[in-house]
Amino acid sequence: MIKYFILMTGLLFAGTPTVEAIQDSLITRFNRIEDYSVKIKISVKMTGLRMPRKKIKLYYKAPDKVKVKSKGFAIIPKTGLGGSPDQFLRILDFVHLSGNEELNGRNHWVLTGSVNPDSMDIHINKDDFPKIRMNLWVDANSWVISKVETMIDSQSVFRLISEYVEVNDVFLPSKTTLSLGFKGMERWSMRDPFGGPTEDRKDFNKVAKEAGIDPDKKEFAGIVIMEFSKYEVNQGLKDSIFDE
């Protein structure tokens, strides 16, 4: 029994990739994509905010050009658009391989790191910036990120789950669900996005309680669902598409 345990342990570690190898596989697989366009249906369910289901069209061209076309007002999350793994990898420090898990019947490597405050696209006092941990579930076969979870202490403040479809020998999202936790939004303030003075704002916790929701008892404050269809991949999109 001891010899069998030693043998299986050795095989496990022998077949375990390094963090660098996982990151390289993610980037290499995504870099097969030169450009694409896709139609997206967006549904938003968020405390204190109502938005009808919207349809948008997204254009992407390597390495980082993104164009969104929509009619009227639409909440469009920046995270999860484009599909590039680099949007997550570039903000993490001290990344390590924390495990190997099965997710939806597929083998995944789990990468864990801490969010670097300098990588955030917002002005923030570093002394007030909490320690945030992010976990990435990487499909060990198709080399895409199936799940992302960001934690403050032991509470989830952000969760992204993506399903994928293969198009022209590359994998792109078919459905992405973003969930925003109350703890991550407790310092937010908001106003009516359809009008009203900019100074007419309310603390998010107050909005939640007015809606009859106790943020201390409910895990998530909002869910954004994006459904992708009619991909056109590597069609040679012109740069002029991305001009403002």
Side-chain angles (χ1 to χ4, degrees):
M1 178 62 72
I2 294 177
K3 289 182 179 180
Y4 175 78
F5 175 77
I6 293 173
L7 174 61
M8 291 304 295
T9 302
L11 290 173
L12 175 63
F13 283 102
T16 301
T18 63
V19 169
E20 291 76 15
I22 293 173
Q23 293 174 330
D24 287 346
S25 295
L26 280 167
I27 297 298
T28 299
R29 179 60 64 93
F30 186 79
N31 282 348
R32 293 181 183 179
I33 302 170
E34 297 174 7
D35 60 61
Y36 71 79
S37 63
V38 63
K39 293 184 177 180
I40 309 175
K41 294 180 182 178
I42 301 179
S43 302
V44 178
K45 297 179 181 179
M46 187 174 291
T47 301
L49 176 64
R50 294 182 180 179
M51 188 192 85
R53 192 174 188 182
K54 302 292 293 188
K55 295 180 180 180
I56 68 171
K57 189 162 186 178
L58 171 73
Y59 299 87
Y60 166 84
K61 186 171 184 178
D64 56 8
K65 291 184 177 181
V66 175
K67 177 78 173 184
V68 174
K69 291 185 177 181
S70 66
K71 293 182 179 180
F73 170 81
I75 290 180
I76 303 171
K78 185 176 181 180
T79 302
L81 283 178
S84 173
D86 185 60
Q87 65 182 306
F88 300 111
L89 298 176
R90 67 180 175 80
I91 69 173
L92 294 180
D93 287 333
F94 311 111
V95 182
H96 63 278
L97 181 60
S98 60
N100 177 250
E101 294 183 14
E102 186 175 292
L103 186 63
N104 295 327
R106 298 177 67 86
N107 188 37
H108 285 73
W109 300 110
V110 184
L111 298 181
T112 299
S114 57
V115 175
N116 183 338
D118 290 331
S119 68
M120 305 298 287
D121 294 329
I122 57 176
H123 296 290
I124 191 167
N125 186 340
K126 294 181 183 180
D127 293 334
D128 294 333
F129 192 79
K131 290 183 179 180
I132 302 178
R133 187 179 77 254
M134 180 180 286
N135 299 319
L136 308 176
W137 281 259
V138 179
D139 190 308
N141 182 50
S142 57
W143 298 111
V144 293
I145 297 175
S146 300
K147 180 178 176 181
V148 179
E149 188 162 42
T150 304
M151 311 287 292
I152 295 179
D153 298 326
S154 60
Q155 289 187 286
S156 177
V157 297
F158 172 86
R159 183 182 296 165
L160 178 148
I161 297 176
S162 287
E163 301 169 20
Y164 288 83
V165 62
E166 188 173 3
V167 183
N168 295 358
D169 198 35
V170 297
F171 289 91
L172 286 162
S174 59
K175 181 179 180 180
T176 294
T177 302
L178 297 144
S179 302
L180 304 173
F182 272 104
K183 187 173 179 62
M185 299 178 74
E186 62 186 2
R187 295 184 182 179
W188 286 25
S189 62
M190 60 189 300
R191 67 183 181 92
D192 184 351
F194 298 100
T198 57
E199 65 271 11
D200 186 18
R201 307 183 70 91
K202 292 183 179 181
D203 291 339
F204 187 82
N205 274 10
K206 184 177 180 180
V207 172
K209 291 176 180 178
E210 287 178 353
I213 298 171
D214 186 347
D216 295 327
K217 296 181 179 180
K218 187 174 177 64
E219 184 178 7
F220 288 109
I223 295 176
V224 180
I225 299 173
M226 298 184 289
E227 298 172 278
F228 303 77
S229 63
K230 298 184 178 180
Y231 276 106
E232 293 184 20
V233 179
N234 295 341
Q235 299 296 303
L237 292 179
K238 296 180 180 180
D239 289 333
S240 58
I241 292 175
F242 301 90
D243 294 337
E244 294 292 335

